[in-house]
Amino acid sequence: MHPLAEELNQRLAPTVVGRTLSRFGHRIFFPRGIVAQSAEAKKSATTFNATVGIALTDGEPMILPTIQDHLPRLSPSETIDYAPTGGDARLRALWKDAILAKNPELEASQISLPSVVPGITAGISLAADLFVDEGDCVVFSDLCWDNYPLIFETRAQAKCAHFPLFSTSGGLNVDGIVKTLQKNAVNGKAVLLLNFPHNPTGYSPSTQEAHALAKALTALAKDGLNLVVLCDDAYFGLFYEKDVYQHSLFNLLFRAHENLLAVKIDGATKEDYVWGFRVGFVTFGAKGLTEDQFSALDQKVLGTIRTIMSSSSRVGQTLLYKELSSLVYHGIKDKYGKVLEERYRTVRSILDHRKTGLSLRPLPFNSGYFMTFELLKGNSEELRKELLRSEGIGTIALQDKFLRVAFSSIDNRDLTTLFQTIFATADRLWGA
Amino acid sequence: MHPLAEELNQRLAPTVVGRTLSRFGHRIFFPRGIVAQSAEAKKSATTFNATVGIALTDGEPMILPTIQDHLPRLSPSETIDYAPTGGDARLRALWKDAILAKNPELEASQISLPSVVPGITAGISLAADLFVDEGDCVVFSDLCWDNYPLIFETRAQAKCAHFPLFSTSGGLNVDGIVKTLQKNAVNGKAVLLLNFPHNPTGYSPSTQEAHALAKALTALAKDGLNLVVLCDDAYFGLFYEKDVYQHSLFNLLFRAHENLLAVKIDGATKEDYVWGFRVGFVTFGAKGLTEDQFSALDQKVLGTIRTIMSSSSRVGQTLLYKELSSLVYHGIKDKYGKVLEERYRTVRSILDHRKTGLSLRPLPFNSGYFMTFELLKGNSEELRKELLRSEGIGTIALQDKFLRVAFSSIDNRDLTTLFQTIFATADRLWGA
């Protein structure tokens, strides 16, 4: 074990972080090497800075003119220079402010400074690196993004356990989550991965369900379970019904208990309509973590980022910073949210009034980009192929009996045709 | 083991890839899930495409206006849409053409289509995922980028072994490389990591040394060693002396032997002056690999990318594509190369004529961004601190006795002052 890693481990040992770090998480540290020496020089090298491996002329990075032509209002430092390992300091601070504004329970001193990673996948994968060993218990919903099993089972070799997302009464299956954790925890530790608004169903918990879940998880922590809760907030903010809990579950978990580490993984990807920018964030919260402990954890995160991709896209971070700090940002974002909400209401209305496709049962949905049908008859892969082949319509088949429809991708005027064609095709294949 | 992984493993089993994949490398596959179904829909969903989790309006991704304002000549599809998992198909093809043009021995059919990863670090880390298990032998130079030990020792837990970069006669230590591999190979397998132009010394092998090294490595493979050679070509192209081998070692290794897998890791990062874009490439070559086997390996790479970051920056890939296909590209790039070469010649001349700082011995250098001094007296961390504190000059200290100077970062007019100050400071600290 490197002495720098040992020092970080000592600082984290009395906390839930120390108790839940993976073996890699224990080994990793941020070297006092080239990057650290360069950061020091950035502050103090007022004469010449010959540290970093970039090419400068007159103090600005040398940029090829075709690239500069496409970015006329940005300087080379804002586009082609390296970003710091953990992200642009201004953007990290601004994103923290944004998280605080969206989640009114949060206290600035009780959550970490968000680290920039290249997208939400990278945030989830980084959390897997830091907190999941082979054989560890990781719990997530039976219906989920197909990258979860790839990251946690295939990559991290966790023992994954699943809960049915919905209870028999059709709401969030809080009991199922708790029982799955209790049954599968290994050595007093479990990792729970929550994703709301949910992919693929488009479900978010009600305010009452969110509080019930937070209470139940806190009780597990109180009973001695060391619990890491990863909140995949990719689709945050797109809540279409009044009774939906309008904040992240992180808002209720960040200081729930000394045994509960809450990890918020979010990003500009879906929230700010910049999918291909690859700018995501990872933020931590746990009851009683001190500034010194947050800083030790930050070193672990920086070391991990360095081993995977060194840093995230500078131009993406710059453009996001400019967007978030623009005066028109909130107004425009509300307007875009309304465009998606209008599509949601249209889909609801189509479903409420349909007379065909009744063998397709919509799962509960109230938020996000998607809705999902459960097929009471037939096979969803067959339906997907038939829709693609005969109708030129693209949908996603999951687990043979679910069909995901991304209404976020379809203009409002086309939704009726889209859904009527899906209904007619299902009826044609397997009868009304 | 997932059936899709098993199928890929069967196709790769008779090859050096099958014999050198890590346990993770064996497990990984690219799921026939959301991404695969979306790719299918992209081709065939001519009516509506409701597969992907992005928000579209009139068929274009919804872009926030502040972001569009900064990218006036690019469409939202070119900037904020997701890129494919393995990268923009046009860019991959163009980069392959560029690699072929820079390395005249290569045959298009005997190397893979380059995969896009977010920077050269990500390429190295991906290779570590695919080919390095705990306890495996990984060999690299004693002087190296400090991220190598972090990736291969701390992250991958390889048994790393090092060779002195230079022989006693001052050239590339080919014998040392061979002996280190022979002595440390585990279970008939070894991974060799080569980096030319070299960080931190700025050394590249001569044509004669490059051929000698390729011959020696081929002989090891012929003797039965399964050898993965990672060519970190980050600084490729910046060769300042005529006798330097002007191509990648990949050029000599891609079909050297059935037991030798050559992996070229390169990128736009340093070659095309876009450090912060995070666009790197990974390309494979081995004697006898068939199209079907390259395609199976590509699935492994795609699966790995998906578990780490899903995809790389779209805007970076678009801007790089536009740059590489611009009519002025080669002319401008030559000009920029000449700017760096002029600095190199100035540094050479300063060293040839110096009368001070004689306790600083320059290690051999002929290429790239850097040169490195070996301190015959004193301590390089002390020298670095003194330069920063008293002179406002930033340099990098390595292993207590080496000081790296990035002349790429310093304007030609300032190099004399920079070096004279370094010499004077060393003399002041420890005597001339």
Side-chain angles (χ1 to χ4, degrees), chain A residues 171-184:
Chain A
L172 181 68
N173 184 11
V174 175
D175 267 7
I177 296 173
V178 171
K179 283 186 182 134
T180 308
L181 285 166
Q182 283 172 325
K183 198 177 149 193
N184 294 282

Side-chain angles (χ1 to χ4, degrees), chain A residues 25-86:
Chain A
H26 278 101
R27 290 197 304 274
I28 195 66
F29 62 97
F30 191 60
R32 294 205 180 123
I34 294 172
V35 170
Q37 293 180 29
S38 297
E40 213 182 308
K42 202 148 200 170
K43 284 184 200 152
S44 311
T46 47
T47 314
F48 304 123
N49 185 354
T51 56
V52 193
I54 68 171
L56 298 171
T57 181
D58 292 317
E60 273 284 313
M62 287 167 67
I63 190 167
L64 293 173
T66 313
I67 288 174
Q68 181 65 70
D69 285 353
H70 282 288
L71 301 161
R73 292 163 55 192
L74 301 173
S75 73
S77 301
E78 292 178 311
T79 57
I80 58 160
D81 197 358
Y82 286 116
T85 309

Side-chain angles (χ1 to χ4, degrees), chain B residues 301-322:
Chain B
V301 171
L302 294 182
T304 308
I305 292 173
R306 182 135 173 93
T307 63
I308 307 174
M309 69 288 278
S310 283
S311 60
S312 302
S313 159
R314 166 69 84 171
V315 65
Q317 292 183 59
T318 295
L319 288 171
L320 183 61
Y321 176 80
K322 304 233 168 210

